[in-house]
Amino acid sequence: MEGFSDLLEEIRHQGGPLLWIMQKKQFIENSKKSPKRSPDQIKRDVLNSERLRHVISKILEKSGEQNLSRSEIESEAKKILDEMAHDFDLKYVRLLGFILIKIFSSIYKHIFYNSDIIDHMSIVKHYPTILLPLHRSYMDFLLVSIVCYHKNLQLPAIAAGQDFLSMSFVSKMIRHCGAFFIRRSFGSDELYWAIFREYVQQHLSNCDRPLEFFIEGTRSRTSKSLQPKQGMLSTCAELFMRGHRCQDIYFVPISLTYEKLLEETLYSNELLGIPKPKESVSGLVKARSILNQSFGSIFVNFSRPISLREIMFLTNGPNPSNSSNLLNPSFIFELNKDQFKQIESFSFLILIQMLRNQIIQPISIICTCLLLKNRSKFNTKLEISLNSLVEQSIFLKSMLSNLGIKVYWPAGSDIESTTNLVLENLNTHHNLFHLGSLIALRQSEDLFESASIYIALCSYKNQLVNYLVRVSFVTIGLILSSIDEKLSLDQAFNIYTFMTRIFSKEFIFRPGDEAKDFNDSFKYVINTSLLLERKHGLEINLFNAKKLIFLLVLFEKMVKNYAKIYSVLAMLIPPDQNRFMIHAEKSIVKEIQTRIFNQMKGKNNENDFLFDFEVLSLSTISNAFNVLNSIGVIENKNVLVLDRLVYLKNKLEYMNGLLQFKLENLINLSNQLEKNINTSENTDSIIEKSDQSEPNFTPDNFVKYFGLKKNSKI
């Protein structure tokens, strides 16, 4: 692919893994770096820091009757730091690198990285640098380090969870490769917080090596992005906001895309409620069966570095002063509310950049085509002919390319080469598909197994929908706003903002960017002639109906699933209690999943167009539940207001029905146009018509649900 190099191919040209790993290395380092410090010296500097001495004194003052001595607290601090700190050693890097490349050469066809990586990473010579990869797999940090090693970039110090400590051999190995281990939660442990902050900030201020952490906190099991976490980011930004110790910090978003995830089945099972197995060496040994499988290609895309100073100053103005810090020593620094908001906004900016720089793989297009073709068929009935799948894949690939989305498509635009590409991808994912006279999702008599396969299919579709969520929501808003065939831009914006609020846990929307995102997406809709601007207003362009229909149905089932979740949630609440106290969120989420599963198992779902297997995902249910706090259905974090929940459920059902009503009309008009101009192609071959009965729509109902006021709770 243009602009990308194949790491595995380059290693083969250099004589193979052994010659490659044993090459003499001269890593690009920071020119302003202080005298080189060993891992032990870094630990000594942390233990002797003013910050830590100050916190130990505070703990002694508070200890009271506990009679803690300074030596006891210092001993505890050393124990924490020994457990946390990395112990970088290039010998171990070479050993692990050799093992990994041997494994990767066996299971991956290609590992692509962007060829301009050195241009992007030259900033590491001059400023503290932080690498921020998307987190989709355990492979993420290994791949980033291998690419850095290959291009002679200083290997990063990597923030890792303490889960790995249960595997002594593995934790020792990756500790020597630069990993430092932190708790998932620090709570109010002042000593741990102080050691963590000092350790991280010393790496930055002394430019020992780049830092690397996952802004999402943990792996995404759905291939959608998780909401950004501000803890590690604010610790890094704090150093810059002090002003005198750090003039700037550069953040490098890194996008990774997998043709097939190693954890594919594991993720599907976790989303259905099976706890993930505890990390262990025995589990690692059992996983050796993957060596006999093919996992396709990987893309590692290093984005252009983002300057924290530039974002904070040019975008938000000068740093808000924090008078409470003026008289304090430099190590006593607290971010104020405005600074926290700046960091939050910055975290969304970084995450959106990561998502936009992902490379779409053919399997994402194939899975999306299969899911959208079968609009009214339930779950395991998904099927399509090979010819139809090839035609739809070419159509969707072309549409994505026109959107400016980078698509990896190692085939021509002709039918024959695309057919071979589609079959190759289907064979790589033979565990998901049955290849017969029709391409079909693998079926099982066990409902759980069928759900697991379906959810895996959705995860590959989700790689693609991250790009299209804004333009799709805008298109839905415009089409739903067309009362009496006139499209209302104001009403469309109201519907768009409603959808971004309801699905804010599913996708990444930067706070405050609603109007900008809407306008940018609206311009795309106009510039690509999906809608036409006439003197009397906006008009649907039937010649581009297929693209329009695709954008309308892309999130159709998500609306249905949320409506179903809220319907079941409402049934859990006694009808005489309009205000219901929430005590255990996890148990409620699990109960919703169980009830929907039982409905499916009881075969009550055949004619129920309001949900599909993705509604069983604990991620979907949790996101639908958690968003109720931000839209006013749940007050004070634990009081659910029933009438607001019922209103929201009815609104989503109405919205779904109205959308289907509009879609059927659009498909009919498009088919009639094609018939009139004597084309053999039929829109119905791209997106099938739904055979569901629709509610009766009236302007009154529209005003009831979409005549939104500024002070509306929902």
Side-chain angles (χ1 to χ4, degrees):
M1 183 173 176
E2 185 178 355
F4 286 84
S5 303
D6 185 357
L7 173 69
L8 297 179
E9 183 65 25
E10 290 178 345
I11 290 173
R12 283 192 287 270
H13 285 166
Q14 292 178 21
L18 184 59
L19 290 178
W20 170 76
I21 203 69
M22 294 308 296
Q23 288 178 343
K24 186 176 180 180
K25 305 300 288 187
Q26 187 168 358
F27 296 108
I28 299 171
E29 297 185 356
N30 193 289
S31 59
K32 300 178 182 179
K33 181 179 178 180
S34 303
K36 189 172 183 178
R37 300 188 300 172
S38 68
D40 285 338
Q41 182 61 54
I42 295 172
K43 289 197 287 186
R44 284 195 294 271
D45 289 347
V46 170
L47 291 172
N48 294 327
S49 66
E50 290 182 276
R51 185 203 303 265
L52 196 56
R53 290 202 302 268
H54 172 76
V55 168
I56 289 174
S57 296
K58 278 181 64 179
I59 293 172
L60 282 170
E61 290 175 11
K62 294 178 182 178
S63 63
E65 298 177 358
Q66 296 180 32
N67 289 324
L68 292 173
S69 66
R70 178 173 288 272
S71 62
E72 286 177 316
I73 301 174
E74 288 176 347
S75 176
E76 177 64 20
K78 185 178 184 304
K79 182 181 176 183
I80 291 171
L81 192 55
D82 285 341
E83 182 183 62
M84 177 187 296
H86 71 74
D87 188 15
F88 185 84
D89 187 332
L90 189 58
K91 296 193 297 294
Y92 284 88
V93 172
R94 292 185 189 276
L95 175 59
L96 183 59
F98 174 75
I99 294 170
L100 288 174
I101 288 301
K102 292 289 284 184
I103 293 172
F104 291 169
S105 298
S106 173
I107 65 176
Y108 293 119
K109 289 184 293 184
H110 308 283
I111 298 177
F112 293 110
Y113 67 92
N114 49 315
S115 307
D116 56 0
I117 179 176
I118 292 296
D119 295 334
H120 287 181
M121 292 298 291
S122 62
I123 199 69
V124 78
K125 299 178 184 178
H126 310 291
Y127 294 98
T129 306
I130 298 173
L131 308 182
L132 297 173
L134 277 175
H135 205 6
R136 298 294 177 265
S137 169
Y138 276 139
M139 294 294 103
D140 298 335
F141 72 92
L142 299 172
L143 287 162
V144 170
S145 290
I146 283 176
V147 172
C148 287
Y149 181 91
H150 180 63
K151 301 304 291 184
N152 294 317
L153 297 169
Q154 181 75 309
L155 296 178
I158 308 160
Q162 285 192 342
D163 317 47
F164 287 102
L165 294 179
S166 60
M167 298 185 288
S168 57
F169 172 76
V170 173
S171 62
K172 179 181 178 180
M173 184 69 76
I174 63 177
R175 190 190 295 275
H176 283 308
C177 293
F180 63 96
F181 301 93
I182 57 176
R183 298 174 186 170
R184 292 290 180 188
S185 174
F186 305 170
S188 57
D189 190 332
E190 286 184 279
L191 186 62
Y192 197 94
W193 269 110
I195 293 169
F196 164 72
R197 285 191 174 119
E198 189 66 27
Y199 188 75
V200 168
Q201 292 178 5
Q202 280 214 20
H203 273 82
L204 291 173
S205 59
N206 289 278
C207 297
D208 292 297
R209 58 183 61 253
L211 280 180
E212 179 184 333
F213 65 89
F214 297 105
I215 199 168
E216 297 167 283
T218 187
R219 293 171 295 164
S220 168
R221 272 66 172 170
T222 63
S223 292
K224 298 174 189 172
S225 186
L226 302 176
Q227 298 298 300
K229 307 294 188 294
Q230 274 79 51
M232 189 78 165
L233 187 63
S234 61
T235 297
C236 297
E238 177 190 300
L239 188 69
F240 165 75
M241 289 181 168
R242 292 185 202 172
H244 67 287
R245 291 190 65 185
C246 181
Q247 297 303 308
D248 201 356
I249 300 174
Y250 275 81
F251 293 81
V252 183
I254 303 174
S255 307
L256 296 102
T257 317
Y258 296 85
E259 182 176 332
K260 183 176 182 179
L261 285 163
L262 291 174
E263 301 96 333
E264 177 185 273
T265 303
L266 181 69
Y267 285 169
S268 293
N269 289 343
E270 278 187 52
L271 290 170
L272 288 170
I274 296 179
K276 75 168 185 175
K278 188 177 180 181
E279 286 81 0
S280 65
V281 174
S282 62
L284 201 60
V285 172
K286 290 176 183 176
R288 68 185 184 278
S289 60
I290 67 169
L291 298 176
N292 301 319
Q293 301 178 42
S294 172
F295 290 85
S297 301
I298 302 173
F299 279 87
V300 185
N301 193 4
F302 286 69
S303 301
R304 189 176 299 280
I306 301 173
S307 161
L308 181 62
R309 170 181 287 276
E310 183 177 326
I311 294 298
M312 292 296 181
F313 188 84
L314 296 181
T315 306
N316 302 302
N319 290 336
S321 61
N322 192 347
S323 58
S324 64
N325 292 314
L326 296 179
L327 300 177
N328 292 331
S330 62
F331 59 84
I332 302 177
F333 185 90
E334 292 183 6
L335 298 170
N336 61 30
K337 187 176 179 180
D338 289 332
Q339 289 169 330
F340 268 119
K341 282 186 176 179
Q342 285 188 339
I343 291 169
E344 180 187 40
S345 178
F346 184 53
S347 70
F348 278 92
L349 179 74
I350 290 170
L351 206 41
I352 289 169
Q353 185 69 31
M354 292 180 188
L355 294 172
R356 286 178 176 167
N357 283 339
Q358 281 189 291
I359 309 299
I360 294 299
Q361 302 239 33
I363 190 61
S364 295
I365 292 174
I366 292 167
C367 290
T368 302
C369 289
L370 182 60
L371 286 165
L372 297 192
K373 164 69 177 175
N374 298 271
R375 283 180 59 220
S376 66
K377 293 181 181 178
F378 184 80
N379 303 318
T380 55
K381 296 179 182 177
L382 301 183
E383 57 188 20
I384 191 172
S385 70
L386 178 60
N387 289 340
S388 181
L389 181 58
V390 168
E391 290 174 5
Q392 292 181 46
S393 297
I394 293 173
F395 160 77
L396 183 51
K397 183 262 180 184
S398 174
M399 180 179 173
L400 295 175
S401 297
N402 291 338
L403 259 173
I405 296 170
K406 292 181 180 178
V407 179
Y408 174 55
W409 198 257
S413 56
D414 60 290
I415 296 294
E416 183 179 354
S417 61
T418 301
T419 300
N420 292 333
L421 177 63
V422 168
L423 287 172
E424 181 183 343
N425 275 264
L426 292 172
N427 284 321
T428 299
H429 294 266
H430 59 86
N431 58 310
L432 300 180
F433 300 102
H434 173 72
L435 306 184
S437 57
L438 293 173
I439 310 299
L441 195 66
R442 284 198 176 274
Q443 299 186 29
S444 171
E445 293 182 3
D446 182 87
L447 192 65
F448 183 92
E449 187 177 336
S450 295
S452 179
I453 294 171
Y454 186 93
I455 287 173
L457 193 74
C458 290
S459 72
Y460 293 107
K461 178 203 69 174
N462 290 339
Q463 293 180 7
L464 183 150
V465 300
N466 288 318
Y467 286 94
L468 298 174
V469 58
R470 289 165 181 78
V471 68
S472 179
F473 282 8
V474 167
T475 305
I476 290 171
L478 288 165
I479 296 301
L480 293 188
S481 72
S482 55
I483 298 295
D484 299 327
E485 304 306 319
K486 293 181 180 179
L487 279 67
S488 166
L489 211 55
D490 290 338
Q491 285 290 4
F493 180 68
N494 279 340
I495 295 170
Y496 172 80
T497 53
F498 167 73
M499 293 186 72
T500 58
R501 292 175 68 202
I502 293 299
F503 301 118
S504 61
K505 303 298 182 184
E506 301 280 353
F507 303 103
I508 302 301
F509 300 103
R510 191 182 182 199
D513 278 3
E514 294 83 4
K516 177 183 178 299
D517 290 343
F518 179 87
N519 290 331
D520 289 346
S521 297
F522 177 70
K523 286 176 185 176
Y524 167 80
V525 169
I526 297 300
N527 291 340
T528 55
S529 299
L530 295 177
L531 297 178
L532 303 173
E533 290 185 293
R534 304 296 192 193
K535 290 182 180 180
H536 61 273
L538 295 171
E539 181 180 297
I540 293 173
N541 181 4
L542 291 178
F543 289 99
N544 275 332
K546 292 175 188 175
K547 294 179 181 179
L548 195 63
I549 291 167
F550 169 77
L551 291 171
L552 291 175
V553 301
L554 191 57
F555 295 96
E556 182 183 30
K557 288 188 176 180
M558 184 174 291
V559 175
K560 298 175 181 180
N561 288 341
Y562 268 51
K564 184 64 182 181
I565 290 166
Y566 295 142
S567 174
V568 173
L569 176 58
M571 289 189 289
L572 296 178
I573 301 171
D576 59 338
Q577 293 186 26
N578 188 48
R579 303 177 73 82
F580 181 74
M581 188 73 70
I582 302 292
H583 294 292
E585 176 192 321
K586 286 186 178 179
S587 63
I588 290 177
V589 168
K590 188 63 182 175
E591 179 63 22
I592 292 172
Q593 184 195 49
T594 301
R595 291 202 177 198
I596 297 176
F597 184 84
N598 288 337
Q599 288 181 17
M600 291 181 174
K601 199 171 181 181
K603 300 191 181 299
N604 297 324
N605 52 275
E606 293 297 331
N607 297 312
D608 190 340
F609 63 95
L610 285 179
F611 60 95
D612 68 351
F613 270 141
E614 203 172 11
V615 77
L616 289 174
S617 166
L618 292 177
S619 172
T620 302
I621 300 171
S622 295
N623 288 340
F625 185 85
N626 290 331
V627 82
L628 298 177
N629 281 287
S630 60
I631 61 175
V633 174
I634 293 179
E635 293 182 339
N636 303 320
K637 296 184 179 181
N638 63 354
V639 179
L640 190 149
V641 183
L642 181 58
D643 57 3
R644 292 178 187 173
L645 177 65
V646 172
Y647 173 84
L648 176 60
K649 185 264 297 183
N650 291 341
K651 182 172 181 174
L652 288 170
E653 289 180 354
Y654 176 86
M655 181 177 173
N656 171 68
L658 179 58
L659 180 59
Q660 291 199 34
F661 179 78
K662 298 282 187 180
L663 270 167
E664 302 315 310
N665 287 341
L666 185 57
I667 291 171
N668 289 335
L669 288 171
S670 178
N671 287 343
Q672 186 61 46
L673 176 67
E674 290 180 342
K675 187 180 294 184
N676 290 342
I677 59 177
N678 297 318
T679 61
S680 58
E681 191 176 9
N682 192 307
T683 304
D684 209 11
S685 67
I686 301 297
I687 305 291
E688 73 167 15
K689 291 182 64 176
S690 171
D691 56 2
Q692 309 296 341
S693 58
E694 309 300 342
N696 181 31
F697 300 108
T698 67
D700 289 341
N701 281 339
F702 186 89
V703 171
K704 175 182 177 182
Y705 291 118
F706 295 113
L708 303 179
K709 297 180 181 179
K710 290 183 179 180
N711 62 352
S712 176
K713 284 283 186 182
I714 299 174

